[in-house]
Structures are given as C-alpha cells and as structure tokens.
Amino acid sequence: MAESASNERFDNWLEHINRACGPFSGQLLDGGFHGSLQEYHANAMKLSVVETAHSRLFRSQYEVARSNDAWFYTVFQLDGEAVLEQGNNQAVLHGGDITLIDASRPCSIMYTQPTKQISLLVPRHLIEQNRRSGDLPCAQRLSADMPVVKMSQRLLHESMKNPTLNICESEAALEAIICLLRPMLQMRDAPHSRRDKQLERVMGLIDSHIQSEDLRPEWIASEAGMSVRSLYRMFADKGLVVAQYIKNRRLDLCAQALRTASATEKLAGIGYNWGFTDHSHFSTAFKLRFGVSPGEYRKRWQ
C-alpha cells in the first residue's frame, strides 16, 4: 500500500514537471520519495522551484524530439545535492552553485537526498548571443564562491520577490542574469580540437549564406571540402542535425530582427529576408520555437 501511494505521488509530481518544464521521464530511487514543484511566471521570467528527494529525471532523444529546444535550463541550486549529466560532463551541485543544461540534448538529473533548486528557462538566443560554435559548458559546475554566481543568485531572488514586473523589466532582469554568467560561459567556450575548428568554419559558412535559398547540406559539404556524410557526422557528434540547425539559426535571426522591427514592417518580408519563402511555414516554425507567433513576439518587444 505504501509503495503504491509513493508511486502515485511520484507520477503526479512527474506530470507536473512535464507541464512546467517540458517532457521528462523519471524513476524512483530507494530511500523514500518526496516531490513538489512551484511555478513562477512574470512575463519573460519563467521558472520552477523544485523540491524532491530520492528521484531521477532524464531526457532521452525521445523526450527531446517531443519538446521545444529553444531553451536552456539554468539551474540554481538552493539546498542539498543534485548530480546533473549531459554529454560527457557531470556537475555535482550544492547550495549556491549554478549550471546550464541544453534542452535540445539528452540529460539526467539525480536527487539522492533532499534537494531544492530553481530551474530558470532562458531563451536560446540569450545564451548563444555573439557565438557560433564550440561547446557551451553544459553540466559544468559554476561555484557558489564566484562573485558573479552570487550576484546572479541575488538578482534571481530579488526578481522573484516582485511578481508584478512588466515585460520590459522582466526581460531586463533575465538578460542581466545571463550577462553576469556569460564571461564564464565564454571562458570555457573556445574550440580546441581540429574537428571543433572545422565545425566553426562550417557554421561561419552557414551564417554568411543564411539568406540563400540554396543553403543545403550538399552545397555546404562541397564548399567545406568534405562529404555530406562527414558533414552529418560532425553535426551529430554535437547532438545537432544540419537542416534543423539551419532552420533554427534562421528563426533566431528572425527573432532578433523582430525585436527592432517597426509595427508597419511586413512579417512575411522579415521571414523572407532570412530564407523563409513560405510565410505560413515561417509562422508555424516560429511559434514552435518561441511559443508565440511572429506578430505577438514583435508586440511584446514593442
């Protein structure tokens, strides 16, 4: 009976996690499960306060394929210990630590003891601003001892105390948090291997021809002096798909243009400028990535 009740509590908690944070699978660990989740939304600030013990959350390629990959989870550890893994990296977080998890790649979060943490959803364009390649330091611990980590924690908590923040104020707070963390992200960002440098060159090639209708894997491979198969493998090693990367890059650039576009500028024209010849496809793809239509996105920034 007790085991059945624990399973039911876990299933309810996991369902809440999926609604708030996107698709996750989970499992109970030995020791007696506890789990709760509180959502906090103030315009651009979207986060969840997660408390749990003796559980594991994970995302396989199946969950990733069913979710919106336009986000990063910035995890602020408050109490207890959590072990986060992504790719070849593992971060063991304690109170005050921070780490980054990419929503577009599989990951695992282990809670072997009572834990409390905040998961802040950060739009991909804020994390990837001013960079094209190299591995971001996902699932790497940013220590609570670092001054910028302390300031980021403080700014997050102060923002949470003000649920009446308007759209401009909440966006400014979110950008400030990421600006504080960005030097550490860039410091660990430089590509080292020959393959990383090759990927950087290919991404530069994509950026310089992003508006072209002819931007396809076959053309990219030819220009980069490699086979199409090698191109696919190089992207797959980073958890990326060439065509999806191109589409997402175009959408991110459209979003950047929409943030400064006038109310009279035609949405179809903005999409066309960045390689979307079909407005209906552009609008659908944009909403899937950012959660709102291009028109609504522009209104929010105005």
Side-chain angles (χ1 to χ4, degrees), residues 34-53:
H34 161 74
S36 68
L37 183 145
Q38 290 180 306
E39 293 182 69
Y40 174 94
H41 287 183
N43 290 305
M45 298 284 287
K46 298 179 181 179
L47 58 89
S48 300
V49 181
V50 179
E51 293 188 65
T52 187

Side-chain angles (χ1 to χ4, degrees), residues 74-77 91-100 137-146 148-150 152-153 177 180-185 187-188:
T74 308
V75 180
F76 294 76
Q77 190 73 15
V92 181
L93 301 188
H94 296 94
D97 295 340
I98 298 175
T99 197
L100 194 68
C138 294
Q140 291 186 23
R141 173 176 169 261
L142 302 180
S143 171
D145 297 332
M146 297 178 178
V148 291
V149 170
K150 291 179 181 178
S152 298
Q153 288 269 16
I177 290 170
L180 285 169
L181 298 176
R182 186 170 289 126
M184 287 181 294
L185 301 181
M187 194 165 55
R188 307 178 184 204

Side-chain angles (χ1 to χ4, degrees), residues 1-14:
M1 183 70 72
E3 183 178 351
S4 176
S6 180
N7 287 338
E8 184 177 354
R9 289 196 306 273
F10 177 75
D11 289 342
N12 290 337
W13 177 73
L14 183 59

Side-chain angles (χ1 to χ4, degrees), residues 85-133:
E85 298 179 346
Q86 188 159 61
N88 296 320
N89 297 332
Q90 182 186 84
V92 181
L93 301 188
H94 296 94
D97 295 340
I98 298 175
T99 197
L100 194 68
I101 294 293
D102 188 344
S104 72
R105 298 167 55 204
C107 66
S108 169
I109 310 173
M110 187 91 70
Y111 309 102
T112 57
Q113 58 177 262
T115 297
K116 184 176 182 180
Q117 62 184 203
I118 294 173
S119 179
L120 174 66
L121 286 174
V122 179
R124 182 170 293 276
H125 69 83
L126 286 184
I127 298 290
E128 295 184 339
Q129 192 173 357
N130 301 323
R131 65 176 299 279
R132 283 200 298 261
S133 64

Side-chain angles (χ1 to χ4, degrees), residues 94-301:
H94 296 94
D97 295 340
I98 298 175
T99 197
L100 194 68
I101 294 293
D102 188 344
S104 72
R105 298 167 55 204
C107 66
S108 169
I109 310 173
M110 187 91 70
Y111 309 102
T112 57
Q113 58 177 262
T115 297
K116 184 176 182 180
Q117 62 184 203
I118 294 173
S119 179
L120 174 66
L121 286 174
V122 179
R124 182 170 293 276
H125 69 83
L126 286 184
I127 298 290
E128 295 184 339
Q129 192 173 357
N130 301 323
R131 65 176 299 279
R132 283 200 298 261
S133 64
D135 288 335
L136 278 165
C138 294
Q140 291 186 23
R141 173 176 169 261
L142 302 180
S143 171
D145 297 332
M146 297 178 178
V148 291
V149 170
K150 291 179 181 178
M151 287 189 283
S152 298
Q153 288 269 16
R154 193 176 304 123
L155 180 53
L156 178 67
H157 289 293
E158 287 299 319
S159 300
M160 291 174 66
K161 292 177 185 177
N162 293 279
T164 58
L165 291 176
N166 63 36
I167 184 68
C168 293
E169 292 168 338
S170 62
E171 284 171 351
L174 186 60
E175 290 184 19
I177 290 170
I178 299 308
C179 282
L180 285 169
L181 298 176
R182 186 170 289 126
M184 287 181 294
L185 301 181
Q186 292 176 341
M187 194 165 55
R188 307 178 184 204
D189 188 34
H192 299 292
S193 70
R194 176 179 172 274
R195 198 167 182 81
D196 280 339
K197 292 176 181 177
Q198 188 178 34
L199 179 62
E200 184 179 19
R201 286 195 297 272
V202 168
M203 287 181 168
L205 181 67
I206 290 172
D207 267 10
S208 62
H209 294 82
I210 197 70
Q211 295 170 297
S212 171
E213 294 181 42
D214 299 324
L215 186 61
R216 295 183 176 87
E218 295 77 13
W219 181 87
I220 296 168
S222 175
E223 289 294 307
M226 64 174 66
S227 67
V228 175
R229 185 178 178 182
S230 295
L231 177 71
Y232 284 144
R233 188 185 303 119
M234 182 170 66
F235 272 72
D237 287 345
K238 300 296 182 183
L240 301 170
V241 177
V242 181
Q244 187 71 27
Y245 173 83
I246 293 170
K247 183 171 79 170
N248 287 342
R249 184 70 177 142
R250 282 172 166 162
L251 288 169
D252 291 343
L253 290 167
C254 285
Q256 184 175 314
L258 285 166
R259 292 199 290 275
T260 57
S262 69
T264 58
E265 193 168 351
K266 292 187 178 298
L267 297 173
I270 293 173
Y272 186 83
N273 287 342
W274 296 106
F276 290 97
T277 56
D278 184 308
H279 178 62
S280 177
H281 171 65
F282 163 56
S283 184
T284 300
F286 191 94
K287 189 168 184 178
L288 281 173
R289 185 154 178 81
F290 296 102
V292 294
S293 68
E296 179 62 27
Y297 188 89
R298 175 168 61 182
K299 284 180 185 176
R300 290 186 178 184
W301 279 87

